[in-house]
Amino acid sequence: MVIDVNILVTIAYTLLLACITSAEMIARCENGLKSHYKSLVDNKIMAPEVFSDQNTNKQVETEVEGGTNYMEFVEEVVSVQRACMGNTCNRLCQTGLNAGTSAVALLCASEDSVQVHSFDIGTHDYAKVAQTIIDESFRNRHTITWGSSEKTLPNLISSLGENSKTYCDFTFVDGGHSRELAMSDIKNFRELSPVGSYMVVENCNSWGMAHGWGGIWAVNEAYRDAIEKNLLSHVRQVSVGPCGQDKRLRGHKRECRELCIAKVL
């Protein structure tokens, strides 16, 4: 079989351009995340991860629930970039706003014309502060629906009717971490997404392993159920940090983060 040299050159150039674009985007998004964290600290809310000792520079009064760290943030940026390559995305959807780290990743990694719709139960007051900061940084691009996603997502599906399957071009599941809630988000987001679109599930290990702040057993089981029931097709596993590979590192379980990446069937 003879391979055209021009085709090989084109492929190599495309891959190189993708790598350069990814590096530039990650650098830009990192600056965006630093700015977001600084704004949190300015509002006396502890940044989820310290950049330049921001938490120690001001008096922080409110702690936040553990969430996406920097390494996982980068993986989320890359995942969105890959899923939306060629400007194929109009709207990205996620459950769980928390301090806004993943929302920043989704917004930063996508084109300015792309909308992000977050669904959050609204338990933490600091999530509303995070929303305000995001709205100021990404004007007219972010929508938030407060309340349990077990109710808000079905309500949205019902209101959209036959158009529901085209609402979300990319989905990120990071809401409740029980088996029932994780499965509920997966099923509902599937009803809002076209076949072949990407779904990323946080705190998920596709092999069923529980790793500190990485894979959570209940979420793992929900994801594996979705694969077995042909709701999703598994694409790849993302594990960053010391996720159980070395016994000497297991004391650092807070540093492990894991994502399951799938396509909607």
Side-chain angles (χ1 to χ4, degrees):
M1 181 177 65
V2 179
I3 301 177
D4 191 325
V5 174
N6 290 326
I7 293 176
L8 290 177
V9 170
T10 301
I11 293 173
Y13 174 77
T14 302
L15 291 173
L16 178 61
L17 184 62
C19 290
I20 294 172
T21 303
S22 294
E24 291 176 347
M25 179 174 288
I26 289 169
R28 187 179 78 243
C29 290
E30 179 181 316
N31 289 332
L33 184 62
K34 287 181 180 179
S35 176
H36 181 73
Y37 283 177
K38 181 179 184 300
S39 296
L40 287 177
V41 174
D42 287 344
N43 282 276
K44 301 188 183 302
I45 298 169
M46 179 177 288
E49 185 176 12
V50 178
F51 271 119
S52 302
D53 297 325
Q54 290 186 65
N55 285 331
T56 60
N57 292 337
K58 296 180 181 292
Q59 184 178 358
V60 174
E61 297 177 353
T62 305
E63 294 188 3
V64 301
E65 187 178 84
T68 298
N69 66 5
Y70 175 70
M71 290 189 294
E72 189 176 32
F73 173 83
V74 171
E75 291 290 344
E76 291 171 11
V77 168
V78 172
S79 294
V80 172
Q81 185 189 27
R82 289 178 177 176
C84 299
M85 192 173 293
N87 298 329
T88 56
C89 294
N90 293 311
R91 185 183 290 105
L92 318 179
C93 302
Q94 68 160 351
T95 49
L97 179 65
N98 200 37
T101 306
S102 293
V104 172
L106 270 58
L107 287 158
C108 178
S110 55
E111 297 292 327
D112 290 343
S113 59
V114 176
Q115 295 288 310
V116 172
H117 193 161
S118 299
F119 300 82
D120 189 277
I121 195 168
T123 302
H124 302 297
D125 289 338
Y126 63 75
K128 294 179 174 63
V129 177
Q131 174 208 356
T132 300
I133 295 169
I134 290 169
D135 289 348
E136 291 173 352
S137 300
F138 300 93
R139 293 188 180 277
N140 302 316
R141 291 189 58 202
H142 181 248
T143 301
I144 181 73
T145 297
W146 301 107
S148 170
S149 60
E150 285 188 295
K151 295 180 179 179
T152 58
L153 290 178
N155 288 344
L156 176 61
I157 293 168
S158 178
S159 68
L160 292 171
E162 62 183 17
N163 297 318
S164 64
K165 287 292 288 184
T166 60
Y167 189 78
C168 303
D169 298 302
F170 173 95
T171 50
F172 184 78
V173 177
D174 190 20
H177 292 90
S178 69
R179 186 172 182 170
E180 294 74 22
L181 286 175
M183 179 57 86
S184 175
D185 285 349
I186 289 171
K187 286 182 175 179
N188 286 323
F189 269 159
R190 180 175 178 269
E191 291 301 312
L192 288 164
S193 306
V195 172
S197 62
Y198 281 89
M199 181 182 295
V200 177
V201 181
E202 212 261 2
N203 290 120
C204 180
N205 181 285
S206 58
W207 301 294
M209 304 295 290
H211 289 151
W213 285 27
I216 294 175
W217 180 85
V219 178
N220 298 344
E221 290 301 299
Y223 181 79
R224 288 159 67 87
D225 282 350
I227 300 298
E228 290 178 5
K229 293 176 180 177
N230 292 320
L231 303 179
L232 304 173
S233 173
H234 180 66
V235 175
R236 65 190 178 97
Q237 172 68 42
V238 173
S239 300
V240 294
C243 296
Q245 299 94 330
D246 189 328
K247 291 182 179 179
R248 294 170 297 177
L249 298 175
R250 288 179 184 173
H252 301 277
K253 62 181 181 179
R254 290 169 59 101
E255 302 304 317
C256 172
R257 296 293 193 281
E258 295 187 294
L259 303 168
C260 294
I261 300 178
K263 283 191 174 184
V264 172
L265 294 178

